Amino acid sequence: MNTRYKITRLDKEGNPTLSLEECQSFFATKSDFEYNDSFGASQDGVHMKIKGHFFMWQLEDVKIPFRFFEGEIYVAVSQPIVLEKTLEIARLLEANYIEG
């Protein structure tokens, strides 16, 4: 089972401060990421598509979605290398990472 993490930076009142524009600029400098306005998955003949802001990380032949939502970035960590990338992004954005 995957563990979900969020990358967040909070103001004094506890409100998230990451902006979509900041994240788009940040991820545009990363050659192993690409932006998509939706994420799709298929299983057992059923296809699901979620609209939103996704920064897709290319890890070998798999794309890992980092989803921007309401001032935070969410990612499901399925293996240690994904957690390492999550921690790196949080550090570069001067943000925190929180499980849950």
Side-chain angles (χ1 to χ4, degrees):
M1 181 141 179
N2 297 340
T3 302
R4 187 176 83 158
Y5 283 85
K6 68 178 174 180
I7 298 170
T8 188
R9 189 171 56 219
L10 304 174
D11 64 15
K12 291 178 183 177
E13 290 79 36
N15 300 310
T17 63
L18 289 174
S19 70
L20 177 58
E21 294 77 18
E22 176 185 11
C23 291
Q24 287 175 321
S25 294
F26 171 79
F27 284 107
T29 67
K30 307 294 176 206
S31 61
D32 52 347
F33 279 87
E34 71 177 30
Y35 174 80
N36 288 314
D37 62 1
S38 65
F39 174 71
S42 297
Q43 185 175 358
D44 299 328
V46 176
H47 184 72
M48 176 181 68
K49 186 174 183 178
I50 301 169
K51 291 191 180 280
H53 303 285
F54 295 90
F55 301 96
M56 304 300 290
W57 180 42
Q58 186 69 43
L59 176 62
E60 297 172 1
D61 60 341
V62 176
K63 289 188 177 187
I64 309 294
F66 284 72
R67 182 181 188 193
F68 177 84
F69 183 74
E70 295 185 357
E72 299 174 309
I73 300 169
Y74 295 86
V75 61
V77 174
S78 57
Q79 48 190 298
I81 195 165
V82 178
L83 179 57
E84 290 172 27
K85 182 58 81 171
T86 302
L87 298 177
E88 174 189 339
I89 291 168
R91 181 180 52 80
L92 292 171
L93 288 171
E94 297 178 359
N96 296 311
Y97 65 94
I98 301 168
E99 183 177 342

